[in-house]
Structure formats: C-alpha cells, structure tokens
Amino acid sequence: GQVERARSLAADARRQIDDVGDDRWLAAVIETQAQVALAAGDRDGARDLAEQARALGESSGNQLAQLAAMLTEARALRQGGDVSAAEDLFARAAGLARAGTSPARVREVLREWADLRADAGDHRGAYELTREALAVN
C-alpha cells in the first residue's frame, strides 16, 4: 500500500514540476520515481527513470539528484544480477561523491559498493572500500 501511495505522490509532484519547468527539481522528482519503481520490484522501470534523472541532474547542475540516480540505477543493476555494470556505476558514483561536500554520501556509496564486492567474492576490494568509508570525515 505504501508503494502505491508513494507512486501517486511522486506522480503528482512530477506534474507540478513539469508545469514549472525546473529541470533541477525535475531530476529529483524523477529520481524519487525511480526509487519507488525499484521498491515495487520494477527494476527496468527504475533503471530507465534513474537514467533520465541522472542526465537531467547532470545537465541542470543538480549533483545530489545525479548521485542519487546513479545509486538507484546501480541498485537496480545489482538486483538484476548485472554486477559488472553495477560496479561501474558505484565507481562513478564514488567519484562524484568524493568531489562533493557530503561525507555521509561518500560513506553511503562506499558501503554499498563494498557490499557488492563482498557478495561477488572480492573480499579484499570490499575491505579496502570499507576502510576508506571509515576514514571519511
């Protein structure tokens, strides 16, 4: 029930932002729709929406939406079993997060990336990412 409610609220927000024509906000709203799609089990829909949000975030200068979209897309890829593509997106997301101003976001990206590596059997790589995450201030 909560996913349907979230889907409805995000769709309403998107209609309102479409009327305003602000791509920075639109990137954030579409990224929210991607998260909702992923929560509903629609990995392909989540990836499509995340790609749109990532592109809009980049073109409008909304790095937070761009980063969030990269994470959502990486999560969808991971859930779909495409470890290589998820790894690539986590690496790109980590680079964007490191260039930003939020240590919490850097830690979030590195922790999720470490989990991916651990699940893939790369325990040394997971350890290195976890160690970096712990060192971020």
Side-chain angles (χ1 to χ4, degrees):
Q2 297 301 324
V3 170
E4 285 308 313
R5 176 84 173 124
R7 183 177 286 135
S8 173
L9 290 170
D12 185 48
R14 185 166 181 173
R15 281 189 294 277
Q16 291 177 36
I17 296 301
D18 279 338
D19 289 345
V20 173
D22 186 329
D23 283 350
R24 288 181 57 81
W25 281 105
L26 185 58
V29 170
I30 294 173
E31 199 288 315
T32 299
Q33 288 180 305
Q35 287 186 42
V36 172
L38 188 58
D42 180 7
R43 287 190 302 267
D44 291 336
R47 285 184 55 211
D48 290 343
L49 289 164
E51 287 174 4
Q52 291 174 41
R54 182 166 40 101
L56 270 174
E58 185 175 7
S59 67
S60 69
N62 186 340
Q63 287 186 333
L64 291 176
Q66 182 184 2
L67 179 59
M70 291 171 107
L71 289 176
T72 300
E73 187 176 354
R75 291 172 187 139
L77 288 164
R78 182 180 180 189
Q79 286 181 15
D82 193 343
V83 174
S84 177
E87 171 92 18
D88 178 58
L89 264 174
F90 277 120
R92 290 172 46 208
L96 186 60
R98 288 178 186 120
T101 59
S102 174
R105 278 304 222 181
V106 175
R107 287 189 295 270
E108 175 188 10
V109 173
L110 294 175
R111 279 194 306 263
E112 286 196 54
W113 189 9
D115 287 345
L116 173 77
R117 283 194 169 173
D119 287 347
D122 179 8
H123 299 289
R124 180 165 184 77
Y127 169 78
E128 290 169 0
L129 290 170
T130 301
R131 186 172 180 192
E132 181 183 349
L134 291 170
V136 172
N137 291 325

